[in-house]
Every structure is written in structure tokens, then in C-alpha cells.
Amino acid sequence: MSQAVSYDLNGAIAVLTISNPPVNALGLAVRQGLVAGIEKAEADAAVKAVLIIGEGRTFPAGADIREFGKPPVDPYLPEVVLRIEACNKPVVAALHGTALGGGLEVALGAHYRIADKAGRIGLPEVNLGILPGAGGTQRTTRIAGAKATLDLATGGKPIGADNAHALGIIDRIAEGDLKEAALAYANELIATGTASRPSGERREGLADEAANLAAIEDTKTTLAKRARGQFAPFRIVECVEAALTLPINEGLAFEREQFLKCMETPQRQGLIHAFFAERTCTKVPEASRAEPRPLNQIAVIGGGTMGAGITVAALNAGLPVVMVERDAESIARGQANVEKVYDGMVKKGRLDEAGKAKRMALFASATDYAALSDVDLIIEAVFENLEVKQDVFRQLDQVAKPGAVLATNTSYLDVDAIANVTKRPQDVIGLHFFSPANIMKLLEIVVPANPADDAVATGFALAKTLKKTPVRAANADGFIGNRIYKAYGLCATYMMEDGASPYEIDKAIYDFGYPIGIFQVHDLAGMDISWANRKRLAATRNPLERYSAVQDKICEAGHFGQKTGRGMYVYPEGARKGEPNPDVLKVIAEEQARLGITPRDFTAEEIMRRYMAAMVNEGAKVLQENVALRPSDIDVVALYGYGFPRYRGGPMKYADMYGLENLLADLRAFEAEDAYFWKPAQLLVDLVENGRSFEDLNKES
């Protein structure tokens, strides 16, 4: 027997206990141990049933991520599951914690399943660009039908034991100790002479043919919108269709064939990269050197859209929040903004009135900064103006207790210039939330020149409490995300002036996998914001930089996007989806004439080559200037803050898959048109010359 799977006898029951901490992942030793345990139990005439259970905090929670990308080693998981299912003695799986992916497939190989009340099951493989490859789609469909299987496998989210029991996937919910209940269940099977019951031979889930066919069609319709451009979700649907029509052995073979197709796609590489990237981004030097400060109560300065969103995020996490505004009218408006979010959740059924009341009980408001004297962390979320923010921090410096962390929620501004107006710059960090702050997961934690390590660590602790994905950024204009966004935004603007309409550009970006195009983003965010930023930087703009006035002229006409009903698009009667604005095309034509530009056509492929080249090149500059710690951090920012299609992994991963030498060749070609904008980052040149990749830099970080 493998050390990862122990074999013990409890009366007539062979107990196979999986012990592969921390999550009992189904590595080689576990797979070998399960096969050996089943064979040993079968060979012992005294054994009448088998129990498979996990030690520690969970039943196997899935595959061993250390084996990702490596050649599979026999016994493969499908063989292990088949061997369990073929056992001629009843096999019971006792589930606790999270039985996910391969863990659930092992449980489905067993003949009977009992679960702890708090247990959860799921088939999350789609999140990694693959599908269940060891019978998950076939056995679940035969037990619970097409809808349950499709919800689990295309949604990728786990469900609770009660739900799984209602679907028939779990046979019993344990009362009290799981192992004792599972042994009692196995003894009951022995006493009643109950035979083994292979999941692959069950038919309950196939009984309602009409419901199964309807579930298939409904899922196809949903995925056409939700999973646009993705490969694995549609293969999952095909696997469930196969389960409805093929014998189990043919269904398993078809599922395995689709699994292997998924393994060969770039999407699998991109999604697995994203999986690891979001786990790596929390590894920062400051947090390794210091423990975070206490976080018992926070304050938010400002009750506008951003301040209210931050407040809601904190209240949802159970943190008491004091909101401060300049006068009674403003604080009433700020509280109303918070309640509006919760009222929307109640209306959509995502929260009940009791839940809203529980959250609002943690909310307090004030118009006097003296109310902040005992707060652990203060987040300033006022207007994006350096002088205004500096004035706030001067006041905070007078009232905040020693050791309180003072954070500015700024998108572009110099955090050191804000920190240095206080007598405690070591306590100041940037916390760049993304709007809407109660929904968007990304949180850029901006590290100025001289913060205390524990102040930075507190920022990361806050992100964890708020269930945000934090990325460390050095203090530089635009930090990571907005700096790169500016570069590919300029690229889009230049293409617009050169002949590609903004609507062609947006369509190419959408077809690439983004939820919306960049000019639609401008309208959604408000074109006046970027206009104000351009004016802020006008005095320091390099004379070599090409400048487009198209969007300035649109803003000068008072057209800022959705909020004014007109921007790059027109929004009839407050509609959220815009239509092309003919006035924009007129402004573009006027600017082309003024600048002597002869417009030319761009294909969608040409648009995206330029767009991605600008994005990756600026990302390389961010890395070489140490604004980001590692390439994968840039990918996380793009994925969680800017809508980059997750299945492509992020811009730096995309560049590796595209080929850095190909990307550099693109930049060299574009450089002939504009040597300033398209100058390749030296880091990118060095990587190509040395045959290295961004992934090599990730491994070194």
C-alpha cells in the first residue's frame, strides 16, 4: 500500500484513508494506493465492503496541481475510477470538505456516497480550460440528468451537500461524525445484502428525455453569450449529449477524447496560467517580512460612487465602516448611495431585508474628522485631484491614531506627493479600487518610496478580507493597469485617425474575447475623466509624442459618453447599449484632413496585432522599471481589472504563446511609422536575443 492511502479493517469493512495533505490531491501515490486498496479488499474473503474516506480537512479536492503540464503517469485517473467501480463488493465514498473534479469522479466511481453536512462537490475543470476526464460528465448525467451535470460542469461552481443529495448524487447526509456514519452505512449494506451499484449502469438521470433535451438547448443558448470564444464549455455539452445516447463505455471514450482535445488548446495553457498567477500575486516582499496591523474598523472619506462601493465591499466582509463627508447633505447622499446598492441586491433576490439590515448596522457616518480617532485604516476616496487629496491627508494626519494606515484610492496620482504632506509617510499606501468597487475583484496596492512593511502587509490583509485579488504596484503614473491601458488606448486612437473606425476597432476587440471594446469603455467610464487626465499631463507631454484631438473635440461639445447620452456612441433615451455616433466620424474626417492623413483600411487581425503589441510592449516597460514584480502580476491586473479574456491567460502569457520574436518583429515594423510610440522595450529585446520568455521571469521571481 502507498503511504498516501492507508488500509485498515473495521470488522468486515476495508477502510481506505487518503492522506496527502493539504487537500488530498490525486497525485500518483494516491492513485496507486486506491487501486492497490481495492485489489487487496477484493482478494480478502472476510471483507464485505469498502469505505473510501479522506483524512484531514477534505476528501480529494481534485488533481495534483504539481502534475499540471507534465506527462501523465499510469495509473491514470480514469483507470482508477473504473477499477473502483468494477469492485465486486459495495464501495462507499465518505465526502467532507470539497470533493471537486477528480475527487468527485473518484466518489462517482464508488457505488454509494455519504457526505458531511458541510461538504461541497463540484466539477470545476472548465475554469482550467478542460473538462472532467474521468467520467464526470457520463456518470453524473446517468445519476442526476443533463441539467444538473451541465450546471456543475459548465458553471464550474461547487454545490452544497444538501443540494447534491436532492439531485441524487449524494445518497445520504451524515448525522454526527462522518466516519462513524459511513461505517454504519456500509454495515447496513452488508446486513441487507445490498450489491455493488456501478454509477455507469444507472438510468435515473436518463428517464426524462424531454427535460434533458431542453437542458441541452438552454445551455447552448446560455453559453453562446457567457462562454463566447471558449472551447471547453461546448465540448462539455457534447459529452453530456453523448451520455444521453451512448453506452457507458462509448460515452467514457468520447469524454476522454474531448478531454484530450481540450488539453491541446492554447486556452488550457492560458487558464492554467491564470490559475497560478492569481495565487502568486499575493507573494510580496513586505508581507513576508511583517505581519499586518489590526483591522477592526475602517473609515472611508467620500460617499460618491467609489466611496460607496468601497464601503459596501467592507460591510459585506463584516467590517465596521465610518463614512466621512463634508456636510450633512453630502453624508446623507453617501449613505443613500450605499443603501441603493443593497436595495438593488434585494430587488434581484441576492439579499434579503434582514441581510441588508445586518450590513447597515455596521455603518456609521460623520461630518467631522474627529470621528476617525480610533480607526485602524482610513481610505480616502475623494475627487481625483492632487491638491484635494493632499488637503484630506493633512487633516487625517492631525486626527488619526498612531499606527493607523492611511490609504489613498487614486487611479493615477503620485502617492508619495500625498504621503509627504503628512508627518507619517511610513503609514501611507495606495489602494486603487476598480469601479464598481463592491464587485470588481482587482485591488492594486501601491507602494510609495518609504512605507513600513506592515502598512503594505495590512493592504494585502484588507484585500483578503474583502475577497479581492491584490497586485503590488510601485508608485508610478497610472501604476500598472492604467499605465498599460493608456498605451493601448493611444494605439486604438492612432488606428482610428489612420482609417479604422472606432466601431471596427471595438468589434475586433470584442471578437478577440473582451466583453466590450475600448471606445465603449471610454463611454462607460466617462470620457471627461481621461480628458481631464490628458489636460493634467499636457505640460509634461513629450513633443515627440503623437497627439490626437478627436476625443478632446467630442468632450468639448459636452459629450462624455453614457452619462450624457452621447459620446463615441449615441445612447437613445438612456439606453445602455450605444449606436455609432455619426458626429464622431465627421470629427475623425476633419482631423484627418487637418493632419494630412490619408485613411487606409485595417483588417481585424491587423487591429489586434497592433493593440496587443502596444499592450505587451508597455507591460515590458512596466517590468523593466520594476513597477510590477513579475509578468504574471500584469496578467492578473489585465484579467481582473480590464476584461482581458481569461482563456488567453493575460497579455504577457499571450505574448509568450504568440512568440516574443514575432511580437518584436511587429514592433520593429510599426516603429518605421512612429519611432517614439513603437520603440520596443529593452527588456523585450533582451529576452528575444537570449531566447527567453516572460514565463522565465515568472519562475525567477
Side-chain angles (χ1 to χ4, degrees):
M1 290 296 298
S2 162
Q3 289 184 343
V5 181
S6 64
Y7 183 101
D8 299 290
L9 290 176
N10 187 299
I13 303 167
V15 181
L16 308 186
T17 305
I18 301 169
S19 179
N20 184 26
V23 294
N24 287 325
L26 291 161
L28 176 61
V30 173
R31 300 196 302 272
Q32 291 173 332
L34 287 171
V35 171
I38 292 292
E39 292 179 346
K40 185 175 180 179
E42 275 194 332
D44 187 345
V47 171
K48 304 300 181 185
V50 180
L51 171 63
I52 301 175
I53 192 167
E55 192 172 73
R57 71 188 199 209
T58 186
F59 195 77
D64 190 335
I65 60 175
R66 292 170 295 188
E67 295 183 2
F68 284 7
K70 297 179 181 178
V73 180
D74 193 47
Y76 307 142
L77 187 60
E79 297 169 354
V80 175
V81 176
L82 279 170
R83 186 66 190 88
I84 294 169
E85 188 175 53
C87 184
N88 57 20
K89 300 172 182 181
V91 181
V92 177
L95 315 183
H96 75 294
T98 50
L100 303 177
L104 178 57
E105 289 176 308
V106 166
L108 290 168
H111 308 130
Y112 304 92
R113 285 158 291 282
I114 184 170
D116 181 272
K117 285 183 177 180
R120 295 173 69 76
I121 68 161
L123 294 170
E125 289 89 345
V126 70
N127 297 323
L128 298 178
I130 55 177
L131 53 79
T137 64
Q138 304 304 296
R139 294 185 177 92
T140 311
T141 303
R142 283 166 167 76
I143 293 170
K147 185 179 187 309
T149 308
L150 290 166
D151 287 348
L152 280 171
T154 66
K157 294 181 180 179
I159 60 173
D162 285 340
N163 194 351
H165 181 247
L167 293 169
I169 300 169
I170 301 296
D171 297 297
R172 288 193 181 180
I173 303 295
E175 298 292 339
D177 182 76
L178 175 63
K179 186 172 183 179
E180 290 179 6
L183 288 168
Y185 187 18
N187 277 316
E188 180 185 322
L189 296 173
I190 295 169
T192 56
T194 305
S196 59
R197 183 189 58 171
S199 298
E201 296 178 6
R202 293 177 63 176
R203 308 279 304 173
E204 300 97 312
L206 309 183
D208 192 336
E209 183 177 350
N212 284 329
L213 292 176
I216 294 285
E217 293 309 312
D218 288 348
T219 302
K220 286 179 179 178
T221 301
T222 300
L223 292 179
K225 298 177 181 178
R226 193 188 76 203
R228 178 177 52 87
Q230 296 181 45
F231 183 77
F234 298 94
R235 305 293 79 74
I236 290 170
V237 175
E238 292 172 3
C239 288
V240 173
E241 287 182 303
L244 297 174
T245 57
L246 298 178
I248 183 63
N249 59 331
E250 293 180 26
L252 290 171
F254 182 82
E255 179 193 72
R256 192 66 184 174
E257 181 183 324
Q258 304 312 307
F259 172 82
L260 293 174
K261 286 181 180 178
C262 291
M263 289 292 288
E264 294 169 359
T265 67
Q267 293 188 10
R268 193 265 308 178
Q269 295 179 47
L271 286 163
I272 288 178
H273 172 80
F275 174 86
F276 285 110
E278 65 190 74
R279 284 153 180 79
T280 303
C281 64
T282 58
K283 298 175 182 177
V284 299
E286 293 85 359
S288 69
R289 295 191 296 254
E291 292 296 318
R293 300 177 190 179
L295 267 177
N296 298 315
Q297 185 178 39
I298 73 168
V300 176
I301 312 298
T305 300
M306 184 58 76
I310 295 169
T311 299
V312 169
L315 295 175
N316 287 346
L319 279 174
V321 181
V322 179
M323 177 184 283
V324 176
E325 264 287 7
R326 60 183 178 272
D327 53 41
E329 181 181 350
S330 299
I331 199 64
R333 189 163 50 246
Q335 180 168 342
N337 287 338
V338 172
E339 297 209 44
K340 182 179 178 182
V341 174
Y342 285 130
D343 289 340
M345 294 172 68
V346 170
K347 185 176 181 180
K348 293 175 182 177
R350 297 176 183 170
L351 187 70
D352 57 22
E353 289 291 347
K356 174 189 172 183
K358 181 179 178 181
R359 288 161 173 77
M360 290 305 298
L362 297 171
F363 177 84
S365 61
T367 56
D368 189 337
Y369 279 36
L372 307 179
S373 61
D374 198 38
V375 168
D376 297 309
L377 182 145
I378 303 171
I379 303 170
E380 164 273 308
V382 302
F383 187 67
E384 185 78 350
N385 177 281
L386 182 61
E387 290 74 21
V388 173
K389 289 180 182 288
Q390 286 176 324
D391 184 58
V392 169
F393 272 76
R394 289 187 186 95
Q395 296 179 68
L396 295 180
D397 197 28
Q398 300 299 314
V399 299
K401 69 181 181 181
V405 176
L406 309 182
T408 175
N409 174 62
T410 176
S411 303
Y412 288 96
L413 301 178
D414 184 347
V415 178
D416 279 305
I418 295 169
N420 290 338
V421 303
T422 74
K423 298 182 179 66
R424 52 173 98 182
Q426 73 279 2
D427 294 333
V428 178
I429 59 173
L431 291 176
H432 179 205
F433 288 84
F434 286 69
S435 185
N438 54 300
I439 295 173
M440 294 291 283
K441 286 189 68 176
L442 180 64
L443 177 58
E444 278 186 311
I445 298 179
V446 184
V447 180
N450 297 298
D453 286 344
D454 60 352
V456 176
T458 303
F460 278 85
L462 176 71
K464 183 176 181 179
T465 299
L466 301 185
K467 297 181 180 179
K468 301 289 185 187
T469 300
V471 174
R472 182 193 188 280
N475 182 32
D477 192 75
F479 317 126
I480 297 172
N482 278 342
R483 173 171 168 179
I484 297 173
Y485 173 76
K486 177 184 175 183
Y488 62 81
L490 283 173
C491 171
T493 300
Y494 297 158
M495 286 191 288
M496 176 179 66
E497 272 195 341
D498 289 339
S501 84
Y503 315 112
E504 291 172 329
I505 294 169
D506 275 358
K507 184 178 187 305
I509 294 167
Y510 177 81
D511 290 344
F512 183 80
Y514 275 87
I516 58 176
I518 192 163
F519 295 109
Q520 290 168 308
V521 171
H522 290 174
D523 275 6
L524 181 64
M527 292 175 64
D528 52 324
I529 296 173
S530 54
W531 185 36
N533 196 49
R534 289 193 295 275
K535 289 189 284 188
R536 176 177 69 88
L537 297 173
T540 58
R541 187 180 300 123
N542 191 311
L544 296 175
E545 179 183 334
R546 176 180 175 181
Y547 189 80
S548 170
V550 170
Q551 292 177 80
D552 291 354
K553 291 182 180 298
I554 295 166
C555 288
E556 286 165 5
H559 301 154
F560 300 149
Q562 283 192 17
K563 60 188 172 185
T564 59
R566 205 172 189 88
M568 300 300 290
Y569 292 78
V570 177
Y571 302 87
E573 298 180 3
R576 292 181 64 83
K577 187 173 181 179
E579 300 169 358
N581 184 352
D583 293 342
V584 168
L585 299 179
K586 291 178 184 176
V587 171
I588 294 170
E590 290 168 0
E591 283 299 293
Q592 288 168 338
R594 183 178 69 84
L595 297 168
I597 295 172
T598 301
R600 66 181 183 86
D601 293 333
F602 287 79
T603 66
E605 187 267 342
E606 288 174 319
I607 289 169
M608 290 314 300
R609 275 179 60 206
R610 288 172 179 261
Y611 198 72
M612 290 307 304
M615 191 183 304
V616 174
N617 195 42
E618 195 65 25
K621 293 175 184 177
V622 163
L623 282 169
Q624 72 187 27
E625 295 169 22
N626 298 313
V627 177
L629 287 178
R630 52 185 78 89
S632 62
D633 283 1
I634 294 174
D635 290 334
V636 170
V637 169
L639 292 170
Y640 282 112
Y642 296 84
F644 193 94
R646 187 177 177 85
Y647 63 82
R648 296 188 186 274
M652 313 314 275
K653 177 63 177 177
Y654 173 86
D656 276 349
M657 292 193 287
Y658 180 69
L660 297 192
E661 67 283 359
N662 296 326
L663 192 129
L664 181 59
D666 286 345
L667 287 168
R668 294 293 193 205
F670 304 151
E671 192 179 13
E673 303 170 13
D674 184 343
Y676 177 80
F677 181 76
W678 290 111
K679 180 178 176 60
Q682 188 59 46
L683 174 63
L684 184 59
V685 174
D686 293 343
L687 288 173
V688 172
E689 287 181 353
N690 292 292
R692 303 179 75 227
S693 67
F694 288 123
E695 184 55 33
D696 291 326
L697 299 183
N698 286 327
K699 291 174 181 176
E700 293 169 5
S701 65

